Amino acid sequence: MFMETIMMKRFELSELIRSDNFIDGKWVTAASGKRFAVTDPATGKVIAQVADSGYADARAATDAAARAFPAWRDALPKDRAAVLHCWHALIVENADALGRLISLEQGKPFAEGRGEVMYGASYVAWFAEEATRIYGDIIPQQQRGKRMSAIKEPVGIVAAITPWNFPLAMIARKIAPALAAGCTVVGKPAEDTPLTALALMILAHEAGVPAGALNLISASRENAQAAVADWLEDGRVRKITFTGSTPVGKYLARESAGTLKKLSLELGGNAPFIVFDDADLDAAVAGLMASKFRNGGQTCVCPNRVYVQSSVYDRFAALLTKRVAALKVAPATDPEAQIGPMINARAVEKIERHVNDAIRHGARALTGGKRLSELGANYYAPTVLADATPDMQLSCEETFGPVVPLFRFNDEAQAVRAANDTPFGLASYFYSQDARRIDRVSRLLEAGIVGINEGAISSEAAPFGGVKESGYEREGSKYGLDDYLSIKYLCQGNLA
Ligand code: SIN
């Protein structure tokens, strides 16, 4: 047994802020001794100077993961589950401090930050339970004297590379299934938000994750590629799990091909949200608000293109604009904040570019359409744009901000065609009360996820992932463990 009793420890926020790498159960500086600044997107103030890792640190992490692998692989599933249950309990116990840390480095309001902690923790609990249910198969006998079976084994070392928009949930939902399966992990969080991931290492260590089974390095934007390159080339790393942009996903797939690793890629989206004229408009507005403005519009699954049938277009636009104009934009420290700052200057510039381009092409801002410079450099007003058209940049690219472009359509075929007219296929949404249409449209939409009269689709029990250039494989649910396992076929002959 790795642990017999669960000792809950509550940490102060200051105790959860670490600035070194976590390798082989120890906190170590980068081999180069270099550091980079992590800043609060609300104020631009430096929160910490963290390790700026490179090739040598990535290699040290892999070495530690390789040493830890045999014992962790051979641990009883119920013992791995116990460690994960303990990690889950510690995350929940420290939800307030972790939520504050997420707000501090990522900018989302505290209620959302705390919500993210509970969302991320739910994956840890889920995979703690799944750890004990990794079944194989006895294959029905084909020949006398021969027995065939299939067993599932951990793939080996997993490299987890995660984005800034959910600093806790994204890494938790990669580490938890990896550890549950018996894999060991090397990880790198995004350079904007490494602190929450580092804090999770404190809790994982406290929970009894053995030294070397879980290793995390941070790296600046400039050095990230060099650090990750070592994992791509190293044949001991058997799987890459990545959430982030499609260009980076393609790079990882290309560069890891030399050692033919398993890959799980959760990439960009360009989610359509269709409102048919038979929809409950109030429910559609509520669903759009929940899904579009989660994390200020900085999620891969948030609607990027909203298609509204002509006959209800003006009514829907008016109902939506009233709700959007009332959103409170403020720093995460304001208890009433509903939208915080965007992550960084590049993010605001992209939003501004998309909105200006749309207006140049004939869109009308019903509300918003400008920076909120009085609050700080990274704030953008929640925006509704009427008369959006397919030639606008925001129709083809993810805006990743609080902007709702409203496109008009006349019939179902036109809406489905427009929704699918993108290389991406992560989430999609539609609102309708017609049972036949619901059946038809949910089959026709080219997406890994379809929200039907529902804007909140994420859950640890559901398979999360995309099709087309939004990537492949699934996270969460009963399917989420498969990517961390390989099937071994055993054939025993010469039985009497
Ligand atoms: C993401 O935006 O990358 C993930 C969102 C989710 O898990 O709901």
Side-chain angles (χ1 to χ4, degrees):
M1 275 291 273
F2 283 90
M3 51 144 295
E4 257 139 26
T5 51
I6 296 181
M7 302 286 292
M8 274 322 112
K9 184 162 173 194
R10 193 173 289 182
F11 291 84
E12 296 297 324
L13 174 58
S14 58
E15 293 174 292
L16 287 176
I17 298 183
R18 290 295 170 100
S19 51
D20 288 333
N21 288 333
F22 184 70
I23 299 177
D24 211 7
K26 298 182 204 64
W27 295 97
V28 292
T29 54
S32 65
K34 288 191 189 146
R35 295 192 170 272
F36 69 97
V38 180
T39 55
D40 175 351
T43 59
K45 284 199 190 123
V46 174
I47 310 166
Q49 296 279 352
V50 299
D52 195 359
S53 312
Y55 182 89
D57 309 286
R59 178 59 59 93
T62 311
D63 290 345
R67 283 192 300 274
F69 179 60
W72 187 247
R73 175 196 59 203
D74 295 340
L76 288 177
K78 66 178 180 179
D79 289 341
R80 294 201 296 262
V83 171
L84 286 170
H85 276 302
C86 187
W87 192 30
H88 167 258
L90 279 160
I91 295 171
V92 171
E93 182 70 17
N94 288 281
D96 283 352
L98 288 167
R100 294 216 320 271
L101 186 52
I102 291 173
S103 294
L104 190 62
E105 66 171 346
Q106 198 269 317
K108 64 180 59 139
F110 172 68
E112 268 198 85
R114 197 180 188 288
E116 183 188 335
V117 176
M118 301 311 285
Y119 175 49
S122 72
Y123 284 93
V124 180
W126 177 269
F127 286 110
E129 291 175 5
E130 290 294 299
T132 58
R133 295 179 194 135
I134 302 172
Y135 294 101
D137 283 306
I138 304 291
I139 296 166
Q141 202 172 21
Q142 301 290 308
Q143 280 175 33
R144 300 242 169 265
K146 202 183 238 190
R147 188 167 295 147
M148 300 184 290
S149 59
I151 59 167
K152 292 185 182 172
E153 294 185 330
V155 291
I157 301 174
V158 172
I161 305 168
T162 54
W164 52 262
N165 60 344
F166 290 89
L168 188 143
M170 295 303 100
I171 199 147
R173 83 177 179 198
K174 294 178 187 310
I175 293 173
L179 292 180
C183 299
T184 54
V185 180
V186 294
K188 189 199 77 61
E191 67 276 6
D192 287 303
T193 58
L195 297 174
T196 307
L198 289 165
L200 277 184
M201 299 302 105
I202 302 174
L203 303 183
H205 185 66
E206 191 75 20
V209 174
L214 181 55
N215 309 276
L216 195 83
I217 62 171
S218 52
S220 64
R221 204 173 166 73
E222 294 69 41
N223 281 336
Q225 195 165 340
V228 167
D230 191 56
W231 294 338
L232 299 179
E233 287 160 19
D234 193 329
R236 294 174 299 168
V237 175
R238 294 313 313 146
K239 178 182 166 73
I240 306 273
T241 170
F242 170 70
T243 299
S245 74
T246 294
V248 175
K250 288 180 179 176
Y251 164 82
L252 297 175
R254 234 179 5 251
E255 298 300 314
S256 64
T259 46
L260 284 185
K261 304 177 197 304
K262 265 188 183 247
L263 283 166
S264 298
L265 301 175
E266 304 295 350
L267 309 178
N270 182 7
F273 187 108
I274 309 172
V275 183
F276 289 104
D277 58 4
D278 56 38
D280 172 339
L281 288 195
D282 290 325
V285 169
L288 181 57
M289 292 299 294
S291 142
K292 174 74 227 185
F293 292 101
R294 180 171 168 230
N295 196 18
Q298 302 172 109
T299 84
C300 302
V301 286
C302 73
N304 199 49
R305 300 168 291 150
V306 179
Y307 296 97
V308 188
Q309 199 149 9
S310 297
S311 53
V312 293
Y313 188 96
D314 291 335
R315 198 144 57 90
F316 183 82
L319 287 171
L320 178 71
T321 303
K322 194 163 167 223
R323 293 280 302 271
V324 175
L327 285 170
K328 166 110 179 169
V329 184
T333 45
D334 183 330
E336 285 174 9
Q338 291 169 293
I339 308 274
M342 299 295 103
I343 187 69
N344 55 33
R346 279 194 316 282
V348 189
E349 278 155 24
K350 182 176 188 191
I351 297 165
E352 191 168 50
R353 197 167 63 246
H354 277 193
V355 171
N356 291 347
D357 169 79
I359 287 175
R360 247 194 329 277
H361 284 84
R364 285 177 295 127
L366 301 181
T367 184
K370 59 180 187 341
R371 286 176 184 255
L372 295 175
S373 310
E374 63 280 17
L375 292 176
N378 293 341
Y379 289 89
Y380 200 89
T383 297
V384 179
L385 296 174
D387 303 333
T389 53
D391 53 343
M392 297 172 182
Q393 274 175 17
L394 47 62
S395 147
C396 332
E397 267 182 64
E398 244 180 334
T399 303
F400 236 63
V403 179
V404 187
L406 299 177
F407 298 75
R408 204 181 286 267
F409 71 89
N410 294 320
D411 60 38
E412 185 183 300
Q414 189 192 0
V416 170
R417 211 167 35 245
N420 289 340
D421 186 18
T422 168
F424 302 101
L426 184 54
S428 59
Y429 307 82
F430 69 95
Y431 276 69
S432 166
Q433 296 187 91
D434 176 332
R436 290 206 177 107
R437 169 173 278 163
I438 288 175
D439 175 57
R440 230 175 12 247
V441 174
S442 48
R443 282 184 288 110
L444 288 173
L445 286 174
E446 295 169 0
I449 303 168
V450 185
I452 305 159
N453 296 326
E454 180 58 66
I457 39 83
S458 301
S459 159
E460 78 282 10
F464 187 101
V467 297
K468 295 159 75 178
E469 294 190 26
S470 290
Y472 37 74
E473 310 310 352
R474 295 294 177 264
E475 293 192 313
S477 79
K478 69 171 186 167
Y479 309 105
L481 209 53
D482 290 343
D483 283 340
Y484 297 86
L485 296 163
S486 49
I487 293 175
K488 183 181 273 176
Y489 156 50
L490 307 179
C491 181
Q492 189 179 1
N494 286 305
L495 298 169

